[in-house]
Amino acid sequence: MREISAPRPMARPSRARSARIVGAAVASVLVFGACAAPTASPLPEPAEPAVGADCLAPQVVQTLGLSLDATATATSHPDAPDAGSVPEGFTPSAVLQCLAGETLTDVSGVWDAVTVRRLEGDLARLVAALTRPSLHADEAGACPADTAPAWELWLMDAMGKAIRAALPVDACGDIQPEVAEAVGSLAEGEVTHYPVRLAYARSAADEPVGAGPVLLVGP
């Protein structure tokens, strides 16, 4: 009868070898994390002050994902300066937030509109948030399919000068939450809706449109 020898226990690695294995694993994680982590972009150049804030400037409307219909406003809107950082010595006293998403109706049909919100309060938190660098991913990451709606900010001083503020974004291109929270902490004043593009033209066969937002004539 053949004897069956008991299996030999597996040899355990020495402490030194174990330390080397753990160290290599940690180093691999750190290297992988460093490659995957987003990097900060340099701050943009200081914004050029404009005579006044204009949420219907072509560059602003385009950022909001719309186009300005020539028949929507009674006056033309000049180009807006490039968005930039808050210049040294510029002290904002109020903010205009430019947003899209509302619709207005009139006898012509349904219009896509730009909403303008005037915000006031302690702007120190907002100015600090605007100094944060934007982030970008070196490699494609797991970003949500639906990005947050875009909006723009104009900062105005007591003399009527205005700057188009560059908004720091995260690695997915969304406005950083610190900026959104700072804007949300401000008090809302006047809110105005301006038609910019005829989205649906009403024909004679269409039924009258029910009650809705009143169509305002653009500036």
Side-chain angles (χ1 to χ4, degrees), residues 152-174:
E152 287 227 0
L153 287 183
W154 287 89
L155 274 58
M156 303 173 294
D157 66 9
M159 303 300 293
K161 293 288 186 179
I163 63 165
R164 184 182 169 207
L167 305 179
V169 297
D170 60 20
C172 290
D174 292 329

Side-chain angles (χ1 to χ4, degrees), residues 5-63:
S5 59
R8 295 181 180 179
M10 295 180 63
R12 295 183 178 180
S14 64
R15 291 184 178 180
R17 185 166 178 267
S18 298
R20 288 197 298 271
I21 293 173
V22 173
V26 172
S28 298
V29 171
L30 291 176
V31 170
F32 178 79
C35 292
T39 56
S41 300
L43 291 178
E45 293 293 324
E48 177 185 349
V51 175
D54 186 2
C55 284
L56 297 187
Q59 293 79 5
V60 177
V61 174
Q62 183 178 13
T63 299

Side-chain angles (χ1 to χ4, degrees), residues 37 51 58 84 110 113 186:
V51 175
V110 180
L186 300 174

Side-chain angles (χ1 to χ4, degrees), residues 99-200:
L99 311 97
E102 296 287 345
T103 58
L104 303 172
T105 60
D106 69 355
V107 294
S108 299
V110 180
W111 295 76
D112 290 325
V114 168
T115 299
V116 181
R117 300 174 64 223
R118 183 181 176 91
L119 307 171
E120 296 179 340
D122 185 0
L123 302 183
R125 179 182 176 186
L126 175 59
V127 172
L130 293 176
T131 63
R132 297 174 59 87
S134 289
L135 304 177
H136 70 274
D138 295 329
E139 300 177 0
C143 292
D146 296 330
T147 58
W151 39 272
E152 287 227 0
L153 287 183
W154 287 89
L155 274 58
M156 303 173 294
D157 66 9
M159 303 300 293
K161 293 288 186 179
I163 63 165
R164 184 182 169 207
L167 305 179
V169 297
D170 60 20
C172 290
D174 292 329
I175 298 171
Q176 293 184 10
E178 291 81 2
V179 178
E181 291 167 3
V183 170
S185 68
L186 300 174
E188 184 181 85
E190 184 180 10
V191 178
T192 311
H193 306 284
Y194 296 105
V196 295
R197 181 179 62 188
L198 186 62
Y200 171 74

